[in-house]
Amino acid sequence: VDFTPAPASATPVSRVHAPLWARPDERWVATLTSSFARLRLALRRQRALLIGDTGIESPLGEASWRSATFASASAQPPTVSLLLRIGVGAVAVLLMRYTDWIARERESGCLWSEVFSERRCEWVFSLLASVDTLLSTETHGAVRALLRLCLTAADDEMEDSDLGARLDVLIAIVGLYFCNEDLLGESQRAP
């Protein structure tokens, strides 16, 4: 493991108050986005093998999805078998709903650590891995809104290392993989 500090010109800057060795560097971001691309490809290949399998083509009612995936106490983990059964269109709708639920949770006064709990971040990551690359205008808007929420949370909660690590992953994926670099310059935490 290389513990030498990242050069000052390194693109990613994570938690401003974190020691240099704890900040994601360009190599970390490149490895993450490359691994994420391979994961998306593997999921796409597996989904192609399931053509004709009866899956969940339209999202269930909002209350059912919220209870199954978002409610902290009862949220199910996002398993590969479940993700493969959710149709691509339903994934996009669920990702848009998830972004809306996160925004509403924060507006209601929940702490960022609750809004971006480990389970919720697992679901966001999984939905991002499953969503079609060609995003509709609505889905792209939701992805950008998600990035803004992540950046705001990261700027507000620089001392929470667990939350910071989860947000670093989401910020790198949503900001760089999904080509939203223009929003990254607005934050102290931009990768």
Side-chain angles (χ1 to χ4, degrees):
V1 178
D2 179 18
F3 288 103
T4 58
S9 64
T11 304
V13 177
S14 179
R15 293 166 295 287
V16 173
H17 301 296
L20 287 175
W21 59 265
R23 296 179 187 173
D25 61 9
E26 290 178 9
R27 184 175 51 190
W28 178 88
V29 172
T31 301
L32 175 68
T33 54
S34 173
S35 296
F36 185 73
R38 287 193 309 274
L39 171 63
R40 286 179 52 83
L41 180 60
L43 286 171
R44 190 169 41 247
R45 286 179 179 161
Q46 286 298 312
R47 183 170 276 126
L49 295 174
L50 297 176
I51 299 278
D53 185 27
T54 12
I56 305 167
E57 283 304 317
S58 63
L60 302 174
E62 184 170 348
S64 298
W65 274 116
R66 187 176 174 98
S67 174
T69 67
F70 193 78
S72 294
S74 61
Q76 300 175 32
T79 62
V80 172
S81 60
L82 176 58
L83 290 170
L84 292 176
R85 289 185 51 230
I86 302 172
V88 175
V91 168
V93 170
L94 188 52
L95 182 59
M96 288 187 287
R97 285 182 179 171
Y98 228 86
T99 301
D100 183 53
W101 295 335
I102 288 170
R104 281 195 266 156
E105 285 274 309
R106 182 58 182 171
E107 289 169 5
S108 73
C110 288
L111 299 172
W112 283 119
S113 58
E114 296 168 357
V115 172
F116 285 106
S117 68
E118 187 172 344
R119 180 56 45 88
R120 289 177 180 171
C121 286
E122 289 172 357
W123 268 102
V124 170
F125 179 88
S126 299
L127 292 171
L128 290 168
S130 301
V131 74
D132 191 15
T133 305
L134 300 173
L135 301 177
S136 69
T137 304
E138 296 83 14
T139 306
H140 189 252
V143 168
R144 289 177 64 82
L146 176 63
L147 178 57
R148 285 187 192 98
L149 288 165
C150 290
L151 290 169
T152 302
D155 287 343
D156 290 351
E157 297 289 333
M158 289 187 253
E159 301 300 322
D160 185 340
S161 62
D162 290 338
L163 175 59
R166 293 190 298 268
L167 291 170
D168 284 340
V169 169
L170 295 179
I171 289 168
I173 290 169
V174 177
L176 300 174
Y177 187 88
F178 286 97
C179 303
N180 291 298
E181 294 93 345
D182 61 309
L183 296 180
L184 296 177
E186 300 173 8
S187 172
Q188 301 173 31
R189 189 178 186 98

